[in-house]
Amino acid sequence: MNKELRVAAYAVCVRDGQLLLARWVAGDGSKRWTLPGGGMDHGEDPYDTVIREADEETGYVIEPRALLGIDSLRRRYPRKLGAVADFHGLRIVYEARIAGGELRHERDGSTDLAAWHALGDVPGLDRVGLVDVGLALWRTRPDDGHLTAPS
């Protein structure tokens, strides 16, 4: 079994009752909304990662304002030639504000659109689970940065 670790940083940007999202394009061509952000480069600080990724995906310069939490995700999935990947994702989630730039879409990247969505409309969007995790961290602001599972 191949062990895979991915560390990434994401931004929850809420302005005037709207959430900034980027539309992720999966390898199979399906598209779902996600928080702006992505994988850390080797040696990169996660603070710098979220700023770089948000700019790449949305055109905005963001200013991280608070560390909301770290989400840990683990799953197994098939790889080529019958191998299985044991994937572990660490997702560092910041609250951020827009400090500059203009909304635009990413070219030749993992996302194809960036847009603001009313908070009340988010539950009806085709989205990845990270959007719900980010909003839950933003709303509850747990002291330890960890969401507890519903009982």
Side-chain angles (χ1 to χ4, degrees), residues 4-146:
E4 298 177 7
L5 175 65
R6 182 175 188 264
V7 181
Y10 296 91
V12 175
C13 297
V14 177
R15 182 174 73 181
D16 300 326
Q18 295 189 316
L19 176 66
L20 179 62
L21 295 174
R23 193 171 67 176
W24 174 63
V25 181
D28 65 2
S30 63
K31 299 176 182 185
R32 293 181 289 166
W33 292 100
T34 190
L35 297 175
M40 263 177 40
D41 292 335
H42 182 78
E44 186 177 35
D45 187 280
Y47 186 92
D48 297 326
T49 299
V50 74
I51 293 169
R52 174 182 56 77
E53 285 282 345
D55 178 48
E56 288 174 7
E57 294 179 353
T58 70
Y60 285 122
V61 176
I62 65 162
E63 179 181 306
R65 305 293 291 179
L67 176 62
L68 295 174
I70 299 175
D71 182 60
S72 182
L73 168 75
R74 191 166 178 198
R75 67 174 178 249
R76 292 191 170 129
Y77 59 90
R79 300 292 267 167
K80 292 181 182 176
L81 304 174
V84 174
D86 180 2
F87 175 82
H88 184 192
L90 290 178
R91 304 179 304 184
I92 302 164
V93 182
Y94 291 92
E95 177 181 30
R97 73 172 192 86
I98 305 301
E102 292 184 17
L103 183 66
R104 64 150 173 73
H105 310 306
E106 183 176 25
R107 285 211 232 296
D108 302 319
S110 60
T111 66
D112 69 346
L113 290 176
W116 291 95
H117 297 272
L119 287 169
D121 294 342
V122 171
L125 297 175
D126 192 9
R127 65 197 184 285
V128 300
L130 177 62
V131 173
D132 298 328
V133 167
L135 281 175
L137 286 167
W138 178 75
R139 287 182 175 122
T140 63
R141 297 178 184 273
D143 289 337
D144 61 3
H146 187 260

